[in-house]
Amino acid sequence: MPDRHVGDPAPDDRLTEGFALLDSLVDGRAEQWDLSGEIPLEVLRTAGEKGLLCAQVAGELGGLGLSSRDNGELTAYAGSLCSSLRSVMTSQGMAAWTIQRLANPDQSAALLPELVGGRLAAVGFSESGAGSDVTAMTTTIEVSGDSVVVTGHKVWMTAAHYADLLVVFGQCEGGAAVVVVPASAPGVHVERVADPLGCRAAGHANVRFDSVRLPLSSLLGTPGMPLPLLVTTALAYGRISVAWGCVGILRACRNAAARHAASRVQSGKPLHEHQLVAGHLADLYAAEQVAAQACAHASACWDAGSPDQVVATVLAKHVSAGHAARGAAAAVQVLASAGARDGHVVARAYRDAKLMEIIEGSNEICQLILAQHAVATAQ
Ligand code: FAD
């Protein structure tokens, strides 16, 4: 259970039940999943059916209807147990959020209940030539009568190995568009990314779309919308979700490091009484608290519909990812040989956290956005 602070709302029953369900679904198997590179599909389907993977979807559409803040705590809890599962959660939530923002009411009523009914989704914008610069994407979505045709090659789609639905961004009619592609559609080829550095069971895959023909109703929104606007819509959810996931990584690292430092004795006293080790523990605690507060602020902006939502989310993602990467390295340092084993919670955190500095807007891209904001708001 996460720390609560003065002024924090009381935990919702749905959240408490969500923590318990995540505990029972993971059941201490995160290390095993990391080593095998696979989360059992029934675990993901059950988490999906219980609404845990996209918990902000409204109750009337079958979702849990959690606030951003409560969904954040759920995401952090998943992140503290297993970053691969949390990554699948981020993809599913990002798909649901994109549908919520862009789909018409009929599409929302058809698709969102599927996403809270156990079907799994992944989101694709990146391509080999379009990483930080998504505007360089070459995937095309052509409207042809009452069909759309998708042609292109997406890379590193988290959860695509497990997904039933692929939410795909492409160039369309002088602008851009988003389509929902069944993974089973003729012309879709999914190939797993081999040996990822971290989040090894998150099912990253490269996906080729060979003239995939779909009904026009697969298109979300109107063709020819501005690409940056579409991508930013999806990324906003991805960023806040990753940020909360990093809070979970920091909580797991702080707990593992503190427990080890309290129990292991060297030179006649517990490790935590050696001041240089205590310094690591203090830094870890501070990192966890700062990241959690940055995320809580961003979620408060989401829940209030504040115009500060975008910059608060980028800030939370940047602060949390950086702290998670440095915090996980500090935790490995405190455990030393005890944590220097593939699959161990701090070893996993060390690999997983590094990736958080790359995805959903790398450190550098976040810095550019924050710098622009600093200049624009200078007095
Ligand atoms: P590049 O864009 O080539 O960048 C390389 C380096 O240059 C980085 O340090 C970057 O910050 C820096 N750089 C680039 N441009 C600038 C600039 N203008 N100013 C300053 N620095 C710059 N994509 C999806 O579509 N869906 C997913 O679900 C998904 N999941 C992912 C999961 C993982 C674990 C990983 C590693 C990637 C995932 N991606 C996904 C891809 C991810 O979005 C890209 O890796 C990311 O956008 C960076 O692109 P790139 O790797 O091509 O790096």
Side-chain angles (χ1 to χ4, degrees):
M1 183 71 88
D3 296 346
R4 310 294 296 181
H5 297 91
V6 176
D8 283 355
D12 185 305
D13 282 350
R14 292 166 297 178
L15 189 54
T16 315
E17 284 165 22
F19 293 150
L21 243 159
L22 284 172
D23 275 333
S24 70
L25 285 171
V26 177
D27 195 21
R29 291 179 290 170
E31 175 174 348
Q32 184 188 322
W33 297 344
D34 184 63
L35 295 175
S36 69
E38 197 83 28
I39 301 175
L41 197 54
E42 66 269 19
V43 168
L44 298 177
R45 295 241 183 261
T46 305
E49 279 164 15
K50 301 286 182 188
L52 299 180
L53 298 181
C54 47
Q56 271 174 255
V57 172
E60 56 270 27
L61 291 161
L64 294 179
L66 294 190
S67 64
S68 172
R69 174 62 196 267
D70 281 349
N71 188 31
E73 289 293 357
L74 191 69
T75 307
Y77 197 71
S80 71
L81 298 175
C82 174
S83 278
S84 289
L85 175 60
R86 196 278 311 147
S87 299
V88 173
M89 203 170 180
T90 297
S91 291
Q92 183 94 349
M94 192 159 50
W97 180 251
T98 305
I99 291 166
Q100 269 173 274
R101 302 298 290 178
L102 301 177
N104 64 36
D106 288 346
Q107 290 171 318
S108 289
L111 291 167
L112 293 172
E114 289 198 40
L115 295 190
V116 291
R119 296 196 88 203
L120 302 168
V123 178
F125 26 81
S126 304
E127 299 176 6
S128 58
S132 301
D133 177 15
V134 284
T135 62
M137 71 173 61
T138 58
T139 293
T140 55
I141 299 171
E142 281 175 65
V143 178
S144 158
D146 57 0
S147 304
V148 281
V149 180
V150 188
T151 307
H153 193 189
K154 297 295 179 185
V155 297
W156 275 96
M157 286 178 69
T158 300
H161 167 64
Y162 304 113
D164 305 290
L165 297 172
L166 306 167
V167 176
V168 181
F169 291 70
Q171 307 285 354
C172 179
E173 297 191 356
V178 184
V179 276
V180 180
V181 183
S184 58
V188 176
H189 306 277
V190 179
E191 185 189 354
R192 268 197 96 160
V193 172
D195 306 321
L197 170 68
C199 301
R200 288 177 175 167
H204 307 111
N206 302 330
V207 185
R208 209 175 71 238
F209 301 89
D210 283 341
S211 301
V212 178
R213 186 171 288 274
L214 303 162
L216 193 56
S217 58
S218 314
L219 191 72
L220 302 180
T222 43
M225 292 175 77
L227 181 61
L229 179 78
L230 294 181
V231 174
T232 306
T233 300
L235 280 181
Y237 185 95
R239 284 176 178 150
I240 197 161
S241 180
V242 164
W244 278 109
C246 288
V247 171
I249 289 176
L250 284 162
R251 286 179 181 153
C253 285
R254 193 255 286 196
N255 285 327
R259 276 198 308 268
H260 185 76
S263 62
R264 173 146 172 97
V265 174
Q266 285 293 280
S267 304
K269 54 186 181 182
L271 288 177
H272 75 91
E273 289 181 18
H274 294 285
Q275 289 180 342
L276 294 176
V277 177
H280 287 311
L281 297 178
D283 288 349
L284 259 168
Y285 180 69
E288 177 198 330
Q289 296 298 316
V290 167
Q293 289 302 313
C295 288
H297 172 64
S299 277
C301 291
W302 277 64
D303 289 331
S306 158
D308 293 338
Q309 176 180 330
V310 173
V311 74
T313 299
V314 174
L315 180 66
K317 195 275 173 182
H318 185 54
V319 165
S320 302
H323 275 313
R326 292 186 295 276
V332 174
Q333 196 66 23
V334 170
L335 275 93
S337 61
R341 183 176 53 73
D342 217 4
H344 187 284
V345 62
V346 296
R348 272 191 286 124
Y350 183 67
R351 291 186 279 99
D352 298 341
K354 181 62 212 165
L355 296 182
M356 300 307 114
E357 295 194 300
I358 296 171
I359 60 172
E360 318 295 2
S362 63
N363 281 359
E364 292 77 10
I365 296 302
C366 288
Q367 281 177 300
L368 290 177
I369 297 169
L370 294 173
Q372 275 169 8
H373 181 74
V375 171
T377 55
Q379 293 172 351

